[in-house]
Amino acid sequence: MNVLFATSEAVPIAKTGGLADVAGALPKALKELSVNVSVVMPKYGLIKDEVLQHFTQIANFEVGFGWRNQYVGLWKGELDGITYYLIDNEYYFKRGGLYGYGDDAERFVFFSVAVLAAAFYYEQTFQLVHCNDWQTGLIPFLLKQRFADHEYWAKAKSVFTIHNLMYQGIYGIEQLKELLGAGDEWFTAVGLEFYGDASCLKAGVQFADKLTTVSPTYALEIQTAYYGERMDSLLSYRKEDLIGIVNGIDTSIFNPMNDPHIKLPYRHSLQRKRKNKLDLQEEMSLPVDETIPLIGLVSRLVEQKGLDLVIATLDELLQDNVQMIVLGAGDEKYERYFYEASLRHPTKFRFWLGYSDRVASRIYAGADMFAMPSRFEPCGLSQLISLQYRTVPIVRETGGLKDTVLPYNEFTAEGSGFTFANYNAHEYLVTVQRAVRIYQDAEVWQRIVDNGSRVDYSWSSSAKQYKTLYEQLIS
């Protein structure tokens, strides 16, 4: 079985978020199940030379879309046993970032067409294309439109994965009509039309043979008006073709036994873990005391992540004997608030602006608890990493957070974390305070950590579900 995994980012080549982690880890897990997955993505200008040295150019050709004829260079390389193809065009991709440009519609129409136009240069026949998020949402549409009678792609099937429904690639109908060279018949309610515009994500939802999203709960949530981002009716219509599969993490990367960024490797020992806590407190110039509960938060600083709940309760929470460290960047209002909070609470709160793999690892390893009170969360990786690092998650019961964190039950002694149901600052605060109180009982805390350690955070189970889905499509 040969699968082409189309994505706009992948670890270790280029990353802005969780999609890259998925695209880097899932193909490796599938390979262990004898599924041959090759990844195709843009050749961005910011890809490091130490990565590019593994690639060679294997073809160059032109593709036409709209009135344009554009150069395509196809590069091939192998990383961690996985074949990667890079679509090269410096005009579109030699830039300082991945997204957020005024011509993103043209850039990713070009990419989608080029992925399929490169068919005979791949040196193998792909029976299925697995597409991810709006940047590749047009590929299932193109398979059924422009490439429907193509001798290479005529029998190919497609899977489209929604990693975050909020980002939909919405552009004007006339713009996409011109870029795609598609007629009016494709821009109706049963086509790409979306509330007077056109949506690249809707193209994937409408035309892919099967749909997946990144947790069973999120698959149900997005069929409702509250979470559905105006796509709920279509997703409900396609519910028989929609499956939620929880993401995993690459446990060879996220592993406190071999993490180069932490002071002391550990597996189950809280005594060894707390040596990392003391080291983190010292680096952050907080009082060095392992008895003080330490809460970590590593996140993009955006409203989706529940930061309004954190802000509304932080001053009250820090009246208790507790410390908190936040790592992230994003909306200016959150950055400013956390900076000012670090000045108000110099012995209890620290804010690290930006992102650092080193600091993130040290927070996962050094914190006792990890706060993730998201307004919505399709899957989430941070809570899985926290569990892997024996750091107890505090989450809202939404999406993948609900599917992966079992609330601690004081009567049955079951549960791996602390959860709350409603998007409400009081509920969040009470839940954190409960966790802080229970932390004082070392025996109970060890039990909660042990419960979490028995969860499988790897991709093995999820990869089996993807393999089953692929087999159903191409059998």
Side-chain angles (χ1 to χ4, degrees), residues 61-72 89 92 106 108-118 142 145-147 176-182:
F61 55 97
E62 286 191 349
V63 295
F65 64 106
W67 51 264
R68 304 157 190 79
N69 280 301
Q70 287 283 21
Y71 165 86
V72 180
N89 180 294
Y92 289 128
E106 183 175 334
F108 288 101
V109 168
F110 163 77
F111 175 68
S112 298
V113 173
V115 165
L116 299 179
L142 289 166
Q145 185 236 9
R146 176 169 171 172
F147 293 86
L176 277 186
K177 189 187 298 182
E178 185 276 314
L179 288 170
L180 291 165

Side-chain angles (χ1 to χ4, degrees), residues 244-434:
I245 302 175
V246 171
N247 286 338
I249 57 173
D250 189 335
T251 53
S252 68
I253 296 175
F254 300 107
N255 190 333
M257 283 296 292
N258 57 24
D259 191 327
H261 302 304
I262 66 177
K263 181 180 181 65
L264 192 68
Y266 65 96
R267 190 181 302 279
H268 299 296
S269 170
L270 289 187
Q271 183 178 1
R272 290 176 68 89
K273 174 178 169 61
R274 284 174 181 151
K275 298 294 184 183
N276 293 296
K277 173 180 177 177
L278 298 176
D279 189 50
L280 177 63
Q281 288 172 322
E282 183 176 359
E283 178 181 357
M284 296 292 172
S285 299
L286 291 170
V288 179
D289 185 343
E290 71 172 40
T291 67
I292 300 175
L294 175 57
I295 303 168
L297 192 158
V298 178
S299 176
R300 288 182 296 115
L301 303 185
V302 294
E303 188 267 343
Q304 172 204 335
K305 298 299 183 178
L307 300 177
D308 292 327
L309 305 188
V310 177
I311 286 174
T313 58
L314 185 62
D315 288 334
E316 183 175 351
L317 173 64
L318 293 182
Q319 291 176 16
D320 298 330
N321 188 29
V322 63
Q323 297 172 348
M324 188 170 189
I325 300 172
V326 173
L327 167 67
D331 292 352
E332 191 268 340
K333 67 175 182 177
Y334 298 123
E335 294 179 355
R336 183 174 65 251
Y337 177 86
F338 288 132
Y339 169 71
E340 292 173 351
S342 68
L343 299 180
R344 291 198 307 275
H345 304 282
T347 63
K348 293 188 173 184
F349 184 83
R350 285 291 178 270
F351 173 49
W352 187 294
L353 175 62
Y355 182 77
S356 162
D357 285 330
R358 184 190 72 84
V359 177
S361 285
R362 291 169 67 78
I363 291 174
Y364 285 122
D368 301 297
M369 308 158 204
F370 191 91
M372 206 169 173
S374 303
R375 184 172 69 83
F376 70 94
E377 194 67 55
C379 179
L381 298 178
S382 292
Q383 84 279 12
L384 300 178
I385 300 170
S386 297
L387 289 166
Q388 173 78 342
Y389 279 72
R390 311 308 185 236
T391 301
V392 176
I394 302 171
V395 306
R396 193 171 91 80
E397 296 168 5
T398 182
L401 301 180
K402 183 176 181 180
D403 292 328
T404 57
V405 180
L406 181 68
Y408 175 65
N409 185 314
E410 295 179 50
F411 301 101
T412 65
E414 297 175 318
S416 57
F418 297 87
T419 73
F420 63 103
N422 298 304
Y423 192 70
N424 176 281
H426 177 71
E427 280 193 39
Y428 164 71
L429 178 61
V430 168
T431 304
V432 176
Q433 289 174 330
R434 177 175 176 241

Side-chain angles (χ1 to χ4, degrees), residues 42-346:
K43 183 176 180 286
Y44 297 109
L46 51 66
I47 299 174
K48 294 180 179 178
D49 289 340
E50 54 261 39
V51 173
L52 287 178
Q53 69 180 359
H54 297 283
F55 286 82
T56 56
Q57 186 170 351
I58 61 172
N60 64 83
F61 55 97
E62 286 191 349
V63 295
F65 64 106
W67 51 264
R68 304 157 190 79
N69 280 301
Q70 287 283 21
Y71 165 86
V72 180
L74 185 66
W75 293 63
K76 180 181 179 181
E78 185 173 305
L79 299 168
D80 297 326
I82 300 297
T83 296
Y84 285 83
Y85 294 100
L86 302 180
I87 299 293
D88 179 28
N89 180 294
E90 292 189 355
Y91 173 72
Y92 289 128
F93 299 124
K94 192 174 184 180
R95 306 185 185 188
L98 275 59
Y99 322 119
Y101 298 96
D103 61 346
D104 275 357
E106 183 175 334
R107 296 170 72 224
F108 288 101
V109 168
F110 163 77
F111 175 68
S112 298
V113 173
V115 165
L116 299 179
F120 295 112
Y121 301 106
Y122 288 130
E123 301 170 350
Q124 58 187 307
T125 300
F126 294 109
Q127 293 102 350
L128 185 146
V129 186
H130 186 157
C131 306
N132 296 270
D133 275 353
W134 76 262
Q135 291 90 347
T136 61
L138 290 167
I139 291 176
F141 163 74
L142 289 166
L143 282 170
K144 287 185 166 59
Q145 185 236 9
R146 176 169 171 172
F147 293 86
D149 299 320
H150 193 281
E151 61 177 295
Y152 184 101
W153 296 113
K155 295 181 180 180
K157 302 295 184 179
S158 63
V159 172
F160 181 65
T161 296
I162 302 166
H163 295 265
N164 191 329
L165 191 63
M166 176 179 283
Y167 304 103
Q168 300 188 357
I170 296 175
Y171 300 99
I173 286 178
E174 293 303 318
Q175 182 182 15
L176 277 186
K177 189 187 298 182
E178 185 276 314
L179 288 170
L180 291 165
D184 292 339
E185 68 274 15
W186 295 102
F187 291 86
T188 64
V190 293
L192 275 60
E193 188 275 334
F194 188 69
Y195 292 89
D197 289 310
S199 167
C200 298
L201 186 134
K202 186 190 176 188
V205 173
Q206 186 78 55
F207 292 99
D209 296 298
K210 289 289 184 181
L211 307 173
T212 76
T213 191
V214 290
S215 70
T217 294
Y218 192 60
L220 295 174
E221 287 177 342
I222 59 178
Q223 296 177 53
T224 68
Y226 183 79
Y227 292 98
E229 303 289 346
R230 301 191 300 171
M231 201 80 72
D232 48 291
S233 296
L234 175 58
L235 289 163
S236 295
Y237 175 74
R238 295 218 60 192
K239 63 183 178 181
E240 297 302 320
D241 295 317
L242 173 63
I243 180 174
I245 302 175
V246 171
N247 286 338
I249 57 173
D250 189 335
T251 53
S252 68
I253 296 175
F254 300 107
N255 190 333
M257 283 296 292
N258 57 24
D259 191 327
H261 302 304
I262 66 177
K263 181 180 181 65
L264 192 68
Y266 65 96
R267 190 181 302 279
H268 299 296
S269 170
L270 289 187
Q271 183 178 1
R272 290 176 68 89
K273 174 178 169 61
R274 284 174 181 151
K275 298 294 184 183
N276 293 296
K277 173 180 177 177
L278 298 176
D279 189 50
L280 177 63
Q281 288 172 322
E282 183 176 359
E283 178 181 357
M284 296 292 172
S285 299
L286 291 170
V288 179
D289 185 343
E290 71 172 40
T291 67
I292 300 175
L294 175 57
I295 303 168
L297 192 158
V298 178
S299 176
R300 288 182 296 115
L301 303 185
V302 294
E303 188 267 343
Q304 172 204 335
K305 298 299 183 178
L307 300 177
D308 292 327
L309 305 188
V310 177
I311 286 174
T313 58
L314 185 62
D315 288 334
E316 183 175 351
L317 173 64
L318 293 182
Q319 291 176 16
D320 298 330
N321 188 29
V322 63
Q323 297 172 348
M324 188 170 189
I325 300 172
V326 173
L327 167 67
D331 292 352
E332 191 268 340
K333 67 175 182 177
Y334 298 123
E335 294 179 355
R336 183 174 65 251
Y337 177 86
F338 288 132
Y339 169 71
E340 292 173 351
S342 68
L343 299 180
R344 291 198 307 275
H345 304 282

